[in-house]
Amino acid sequence: MSLSGIDRRRFLLTSGALAAGALGAPSILRAQDGPIVLGHLTPRTGFLGPLGEYAVMAVDLAVEEINAAGGIDGRQLQILKEDSVNPQTASTKAERMIERDNVMAIVGEISSASALTIAQTAERAKRLFINTGANSDTLRGSDCKRHMFHVETQNVMYVNAEGQHLLQNGLVEGKRWYLLTADYAFGHDLSKGAHAFLGRHGGELAGEDLIPTDATDFSSFMLKIRDAKPDLVALNLAGTQITSFLKQYGEFGLEFPLGGFGFDTASAWAAGAENFRGTWPCVWNHQIQTEKSQAFVKAFTAKYGKPPENQAWGDYMAIQILAQAIRDTKGTDPAAIIDYFEDPATKFDMMKTRDGYFHPESHQLLQEIYAITALPSGEAANQWDIFTTSGPLPQPDQPLETLIADAVGGTCSFSS
């Protein structure tokens, strides 16, 4: 029978088994009996550090649960964790994990710049990299890599989801937005997406400022916002900068509607019910009422004394997705797992109302997104439940592919 008549995944698995037999079964069996070693890199210091700590807690929980259930086909998971710090350090640590520790995959990261250097290192070594927090459209476009997959949603998905929510609430057509944009790849992507969304739906730009990533004082920008009198203040910031802005926004007494296109629930919690306001997109949060989401919330809260935030969810899901792939492909071969991830029939339970799946042309995991809206401080039930959650976006009758419309990161070719 010709290769075209054979299921590609079955062919890869069969040929891999034959090759193993030719090389000598005893040594291969010994390797397969040992632990499956994963590397975890994420920032644990700096302005993204608070998110990184949630990521670390989540991977520990995921590995603990998998090992307590007998591992993966009898093999235990082992996780090696490092602070990625910055792009250069992230690359160095990724290389060391691969060459010294022989990890089968690297999971994590939040900074898009660091994610790119990790992806380049993993690609050279032909090891998998599962991105759990970097949003840049370019990582799914012109900087894509065959061995890199994205559990975290890309910037255009947040813009399109949040934009639809704002459109439904009369805050786009004929309205003027003032943008504050973090001056690095993450912020730039969000800004381009926001400009495109405004243009498509009849909105206008009232003004925009680029914000250095080390900026902590927003007073001069508050004065500019006050003078511009926008219909919406839209933030393209990240990490602790969102928390600082929210606190200062309240101190200045500004009342313009507030929202943004990149957000982590840790920022809301750090700001507190008295300062958190506006509407924001979120890939997942602890209020999602599905059985598996609530089981995860219960387990995380029991272990750490607080609910998981969305970065914790992303790293937890990445470990679960890798575990599913290893089980279903019967091994850790990167080529077989890539083929499995790219197969349209492969679906993942995302703890939401719809399964997710990888877009084969960009390796972006397509999945539902939510919009969260701040509660008035007097209505907050506790320090965690300070917002309400929308239903899943897009609407049930719309394909998930609508979320990646008009991505700005260039075309992915998997050429490098």
Side-chain angles (χ1 to χ4, degrees):
M1 181 183 291
S2 68
L3 179 58
S4 61
I6 302 175
D7 177 82
R8 186 171 174 229
R9 189 190 309 164
R10 189 182 305 135
F11 172 81
L12 284 169
L13 295 175
T14 304
S15 61
L18 291 173
L23 290 171
S27 62
I28 295 297
L29 289 175
R30 282 197 298 273
Q32 291 178 343
D33 287 339
I36 298 170
V37 185
L38 305 177
H40 185 256
L41 284 170
T42 204
R44 302 178 68 175
T45 51
F47 79 111
L48 295 175
L51 303 180
E53 288 304 318
Y54 273 101
V56 170
M57 289 188 283
V59 295
D60 284 345
L61 175 62
V63 170
E64 178 183 295
E65 289 178 346
I66 289 169
N67 287 341
I72 303 174
D73 294 333
R75 299 175 67 185
Q76 294 284 287
L77 274 184
Q78 180 181 345
I79 190 87
L80 306 177
K81 297 168 291 185
E82 292 270 6
D83 181 354
S84 57
V85 184
N86 57 45
Q88 182 177 357
T89 302
S91 176
T92 300
K93 290 185 175 183
E95 185 173 6
R96 186 172 64 203
M97 284 180 168
I98 292 169
E99 293 185 354
R100 184 190 69 185
D101 303 312
N102 196 32
V103 299
M104 64 87 45
I106 293 175
V107 174
E109 200 43 61
I110 301 172
S111 159
S112 292
S114 294
L116 177 58
T117 64
I118 295 170
Q120 291 167 336
T121 302
E123 191 70 18
R124 289 193 296 269
K126 299 190 184 309
R127 302 294 171 93
L128 293 168
F129 170 45
I130 311 299
N131 163 36
T132 62
N135 306 97
S136 171
D137 284 339
T138 307
L139 292 175
R140 289 82 167 169
S142 58
D143 286 333
C144 70
K145 298 288 181 284
R146 172 67 64 187
H147 288 74
M148 175 167 58
F149 290 81
H150 310 277
V151 170
E152 171 63 283
T153 47
Q154 67 187 94
N155 285 326
V156 72
M157 295 173 71
Y158 283 126
V159 172
N160 285 333
E162 176 71 0
Q164 285 297 323
H165 185 78
L166 294 171
L167 191 64
Q168 293 166 13
N169 287 275
L171 285 171
V172 182
E173 187 176 359
K175 302 299 183 181
R176 299 169 64 251
W177 290 5
Y178 199 107
L179 305 180
L180 291 182
T181 298
D183 194 10
Y184 73 115
F186 167 77
H188 296 170
D189 277 1
L190 291 178
S191 175
K192 291 175 184 176
H195 280 256
F197 192 88
L198 272 178
R200 291 198 305 271
H201 297 284
E204 299 178 19
L205 191 67
E208 181 171 16
D209 290 302
L210 292 177
I211 312 297
T213 57
D214 59 353
T216 57
D217 182 359
F218 293 91
S219 56
S220 63
F221 304 111
M222 299 294 178
L223 297 175
K224 294 173 72 173
I225 291 169
R226 178 179 290 165
D227 291 341
K229 297 180 174 59
D231 297 298
L232 178 75
V233 178
L235 303 187
N236 299 318
L237 305 178
T240 55
Q241 282 196 319
I242 294 178
T243 302
S244 296
F245 180 89
L246 289 172
K247 290 180 177 179
Q248 293 171 45
Y249 196 78
E251 291 167 359
F252 268 78
L254 299 182
E255 296 294 338
F256 305 112
L258 182 67
F261 297 110
F263 192 69
D264 298 282
T265 49
S267 298
W269 295 337
E274 68 278 12
N275 293 309
F276 181 51
R277 63 187 68 195
T279 300
W280 308 80
C282 192
V283 66
W284 179 91
N285 70 77
H286 71 289
Q287 294 180 348
I288 294 173
Q289 295 299 311
T290 64
E291 182 178 350
K292 289 199 173 181
S293 271
Q294 289 307 301
F296 171 53
V297 171
K298 182 178 179 180
F300 191 98
T301 304
K303 185 175 177 64
Y304 298 113
K306 58 183 178 181
E309 73 100 59
N310 53 272
Q311 188 60 54
W313 171 89
D315 286 72
Y316 181 88
M317 282 305 311
I319 300 297
Q320 299 295 343
I321 284 170
L322 261 180
Q324 177 179 323
I326 294 168
R327 289 190 192 99
D328 288 354
T329 63
K330 307 299 181 186
T332 59
D333 176 52
I337 292 176
I338 290 172
D339 186 61
Y340 174 80
F341 282 162
E342 291 181 340
D343 188 338
T346 301
K347 299 291 193 296
F348 304 98
D349 187 335
M350 308 303 298
M351 306 190 221
K352 304 177 183 181
T353 64
R354 275 197 257 187
D355 287 345
Y357 50 91
F358 284 109
H359 186 246
E361 296 176 11
S362 65
H363 289 179
Q364 172 62 54
L365 185 60
L366 298 181
Q367 57 186 297
E368 295 168 325
I369 300 177
Y370 300 79
I372 63 172
T373 301
L375 285 167
S377 59
E379 297 180 17
N382 51 56
Q383 68 186 100
W384 315 112
D385 294 301
I386 63 176
F387 50 78
T388 59
T389 302
S390 75
L393 300 165
Q395 298 298 316
D397 60 345
Q398 294 181 309
L400 294 174
E401 282 78 6
T402 61
L403 292 175
I404 56 174
D406 298 324
V408 297
T411 302
C412 173
S413 66
F414 294 130
S415 60
S416 61

